Amino acid sequence: MDTTTTARLTGGPRDGSTLDVSDEALVEVEIDGMMHRYIRTTRERDGGPLYTYDGMVAPDGGEPGVEDPAARVASPRADAEGHGGAH
């Protein structure tokens, strides 16, 4: 059985927001078609874990012309949701 905890997000576009999480080390929030990553820290705030912003990625990984899409791992959440892309 999964236990849900309310986590606090720090940094990035959802700075100060809360999010219900299980025990993930990495959570991703989709905003305007992009995946924003937050990584669990060892700190707590307001009785729950604190996740810090780690950056934004396209759901399909790299973007042609910017970097080699085949050389980059896409978002784990996007992969689970079946987004396309060669990676």
Side-chain angles (χ1 to χ4, degrees), residues 8-11 37-41 50-54:
R8 175 76 56 184
L9 305 179
T10 183
R37 295 178 172 182
Y38 288 85
I39 296 179
R40 187 181 184 126
T41 68
L50 185 65
Y51 283 73
T52 190
Y53 189 64
D54 187 51

Side-chain angles (χ1 to χ4, degrees), residues 31-46:
I31 304 170
D32 296 329
M34 300 299 280
M35 303 306 276
H36 296 266
R37 295 178 172 182
Y38 288 85
I39 296 179
R40 187 181 184 126
T41 68
T42 57
R43 301 182 311 174
E44 289 191 359
R45 186 173 295 161
D46 301 326

Side-chain angles (χ1 to χ4, degrees), residues 34 57-69 72:
M34 300 299 280
V57 296
D60 294 331
E63 297 294 314
V66 177
E67 56 189 69
D68 180 8
R72 180 147 184 248

Side-chain angles (χ1 to χ4, degrees), residues 2-9 14 16-30 38 40 45-51 77:
D2 288 334
T3 302
T4 303
T5 304
T6 300
R8 175 76 56 184
L9 305 179
R14 294 289 188 249
S17 298
T18 59
L19 181 68
D20 289 334
V21 299
S22 292
D23 194 26
E24 300 98 342
L26 168 73
V27 295
E28 295 181 306
V29 179
E30 184 175 353
Y38 288 85
R40 187 181 184 126
R45 186 173 295 161
D46 301 326
L50 185 65
Y51 283 73
R77 178 175 165 193

